[in-house]
Amino acid sequence: MRLGACYSSSVASNEVIACVPKATQDEMLAAVDSCSHAYCSWSETSILAHQQIFLHYQQLIKDNIKELVRSITLEKGETQADAEGDVFRGLHKSHVHQPF
């Protein structure tokens, strides 16, 4: 990966807040291939295993709400209340759209 090829800036100050690696074409193709293989194994996984993964995902969101809100506020320039709403809506969708 080429480091530093793409930058993330604060919309409020235009200050660079992160350096994001930019993938090569070969890396992108490898990622697509990896996803294809992962889908095959995921589709053969039990619903109970899916449920456990989604419950863990939801817990990670809950455990990291403050950091997620901070990132949204910094990167998108949203107020803290709006960023909290984004996170809570995402958490709600993860509950509603579980594949079981």
Side-chain angles (χ1 to χ4, degrees), residues 15-88:
E15 173 189 359
V16 173
I17 55 176
C19 180
V20 181
K22 188 171 183 180
T24 65
Q25 183 69 23
D26 287 341
E27 289 168 328
M28 291 297 297
L29 293 173
V32 170
D33 188 48
S34 177
C35 291
S36 178
H37 285 85
Y39 177 78
C40 290
S41 63
W42 176 260
S43 64
E44 295 173 2
T45 305
S46 72
I47 291 174
L48 182 59
H50 288 194
Q51 181 183 30
Q52 292 301 314
I53 291 166
F54 273 88
L55 290 173
H56 180 68
Y57 169 68
Q58 291 163 359
Q59 190 60 50
L60 287 171
I61 293 172
K62 291 175 186 176
D63 292 346
N64 294 283
I65 285 176
K66 287 182 181 178
E67 183 62 23
L68 292 167
V69 167
R70 189 189 74 73
S71 293
I72 292 169
T73 301
L74 183 63
E75 291 178 13
K76 294 177 65 181
E78 290 189 8
T79 65
Q80 184 170 345
D82 286 342
E84 287 172 351
D86 288 347
V87 174
F88 287 119

Side-chain angles (χ1 to χ4, degrees), residues 77-99:
E78 290 189 8
T79 65
Q80 184 170 345
D82 286 342
E84 287 172 351
D86 288 347
V87 174
F88 287 119
R89 279 187 295 281
L91 184 59
H92 173 74
K93 287 182 180 186
S94 74
H95 285 285
V96 172
H97 299 293
Q98 292 178 0

